[in-house]
Amino acid sequence: MALFTTLPNDGVHVGLVKYLAPLRAGSGRYRAWWGAGLLLNAGALLVGFGVLVIAPTSLIGVFQPTLAWGLLFALGITLLTGHAFLVSVLLAAGRLRQYVVLTVLLSGLGVGAVAGVLVLGGSSQTALLAYLVAQGLTLVPTLGLAYRAGLLPRLSGRFSWPAVRGVSRFLLMAVSVLLFGKSVDFAMREVLIQQLGLAQTDLWQAVAKLSDNYTMVFSAIMGSVYYPRLAALTAQPLQRRALVRAVLSLLAPVVLVGFVLLWLLRGWLLPLLFNQHFAAAAPLLAPQLVGDWAKFLTWALLFLLTVRAQVGRYVLVQAASAVLYALLLIWLVPRYGTMGAPLAHAARYWVLLPSCLWYFRRDIL
């Protein structure tokens, strides 16, 4: 799901929020950007499904899919992408209440579908497919809310190619996330399994999964509140600078307090979320939290590259970050074993954070 939705979510929808946020719904420019987002989403889905047809074994072979399973998977991804597209339109219009309601509904439908399949004795493959399709069905209420808010403009059938080119630049950002983010994480896990074994890698994976969960909350808040506001202040540098300073000033202590609490509760939390075996992962949590604190502040600054559509610099940061991470892993994992993975993560972001603070100093001071 992450691989198939990265191009729309981290590319098209990010660009859409940037360009729609300052505009009045229904205006000519609004329709142009809206239509460009729709067209590029369709293109991203077609590319993804084309790769799926060419190399199904590499992507979904573990599920031993039938033709019907593959078609339902494609349908679920399409519905989920449509939901995310309209959610980005709602966010650009500042409809935070609707966003919260839809997010809760999305989570509830997914978990409910999995529970229903398992209670009825279905397989894990069926349960995962039900999770995807159920989340995709959130498109129906999202469509209704967007319509009631007047955010579904009439399209003439012609697309604005300047708008398409403008939003497509954000697809390059999404490709960099795919290549230097998600793909690196997948590859890293395979390497750790080969070098350290599955049991030790699972300890690291538990800490990484905990990190993913609170990072998801952070990303949702920043993407729904901070980024749309930042995009709306594109032409107001003084107000934008004040916003960035305020967010960093609030973020740093609040995240620090939250992470200290997580660390204090580590002996109870890891067995609760996984099982007693994963209590052994507790020592790995400290460097992971130290790295995540720096990561959150770094991401808050990198939103400035996104809102300015500075694609080349964004891709360069992603590539440099991935290379730095790989070098740190090569150096630290052989010396420290499993502990080397969170140490590499922490070192990576403690190099990036001061670099970003220096680069964006004029946007802060």
Side-chain angles (χ1 to χ4, degrees):
M1 286 173 62
L3 290 173
F4 280 89
T5 57
T6 293
L7 290 181
N9 290 348
D10 293 337
V12 177
H13 302 157
V14 171
L16 203 61
V17 171
K18 168 186 166 49
Y19 290 118
L20 292 184
L23 300 177
R24 179 181 58 82
S27 66
R29 291 179 62 199
Y30 187 94
R31 289 197 302 272
W33 293 116
W34 204 99
L38 188 65
L39 180 65
L40 289 170
N41 262 347
L45 287 174
L46 288 175
V47 169
F49 296 150
V51 174
L52 181 62
V53 171
I54 295 170
T57 303
S58 301
L59 291 171
I60 58 172
V62 68
F63 300 111
Q64 300 177 344
T66 61
L67 177 61
W69 196 98
L71 291 174
L72 283 173
F73 177 82
L75 174 64
I77 291 292
T78 302
L79 293 174
L80 190 58
T81 301
H83 159 78
F85 172 78
L86 292 177
V87 163
S88 68
V89 172
L90 289 168
L91 282 177
R95 306 279 178 162
L96 290 178
R97 182 178 298 178
Q98 289 91 330
Y99 170 78
V100 172
V101 170
L102 291 168
T103 301
V104 171
L105 180 62
L106 183 81
S107 301
L109 285 176
V111 174
V114 170
V117 170
L118 295 180
V119 166
L120 295 174
S123 65
S124 59
Q125 289 93 328
T126 304
L128 291 170
L129 185 61
Y131 173 81
L132 170 61
V133 174
Q135 287 200 332
L137 291 176
T138 316
L139 173 62
V140 176
T142 309
L143 194 63
L145 288 174
Y147 176 77
R148 288 182 59 187
L151 300 175
L152 299 180
R154 293 183 179 181
L155 301 178
S156 63
R158 292 184 176 182
F159 293 97
S160 168
W161 294 111
V164 171
R165 287 193 295 271
V167 178
S168 64
R169 290 184 295 170
F170 288 84
L171 282 173
L172 294 176
M173 294 184 177
V175 169
S176 72
V177 172
L178 196 59
L179 291 179
F180 303 122
K182 292 181 171 58
S183 297
V184 169
D185 290 340
F186 293 146
M188 174 189 168
R189 187 174 190 276
E190 294 301 319
V191 171
L192 289 179
I193 290 173
Q194 292 175 12
Q195 293 193 5
L196 305 175
L198 187 59
Q200 288 298 309
T201 302
D202 276 352
L203 294 180
W204 163 78
Q205 187 75 64
V207 171
K209 185 62 179 175
L210 176 61
S211 172
D212 288 343
N213 286 335
Y214 58 68
T215 297
M216 193 183 308
V217 175
F218 170 81
S219 298
I221 294 172
M222 296 296 280
S224 60
V225 180
Y226 175 59
Y227 176 64
R229 182 60 180 159
L230 204 61
L233 295 175
T234 300
Q236 303 174 54
L238 293 179
Q239 290 89 333
R240 186 179 64 196
R241 187 180 299 122
L243 174 64
V244 174
R245 281 202 305 266
V247 167
L248 290 176
S249 300
L250 176 65
L251 198 61
V254 168
V255 172
L256 178 61
V257 170
F259 282 175
V260 169
L261 288 175
L262 281 176
W263 183 79
L264 292 174
L265 295 172
R266 64 194 184 283
W268 168 79
L269 190 60
L270 288 168
L272 175 68
L273 295 177
F274 303 101
N275 62 41
Q276 191 59 43
H277 163 72
F278 289 98
L284 305 179
L285 190 58
Q288 183 71 39
L289 293 173
V290 169
D292 284 342
W293 186 86
K295 178 178 74 173
F296 286 178
L297 296 183
T298 300
W299 283 8
L301 291 168
L302 290 178
F303 271 113
L304 289 165
L305 292 181
T306 305
V307 82
R308 294 170 182 163
Q310 293 177 321
V311 177
R313 296 178 188 183
Y314 184 90
V315 173
L316 181 61
V317 170
Q318 292 290 331
S321 174
V323 170
L324 174 62
Y325 189 37
L327 292 174
L328 288 167
L329 287 169
I330 292 170
W331 177 40
L332 293 171
V333 170
R335 287 169 174 78
Y336 298 100
T338 311
M339 180 63 77
L343 285 174
H345 168 76
R348 170 196 197 182
Y349 282 103
W350 276 96
V351 170
L352 288 174
L353 177 58
S355 302
C356 288
L357 286 170
W358 178 84
Y359 181 83
F360 292 109
R361 63 193 182 281
R362 294 178 182 175
D363 296 284
I364 303 171
L365 303 176

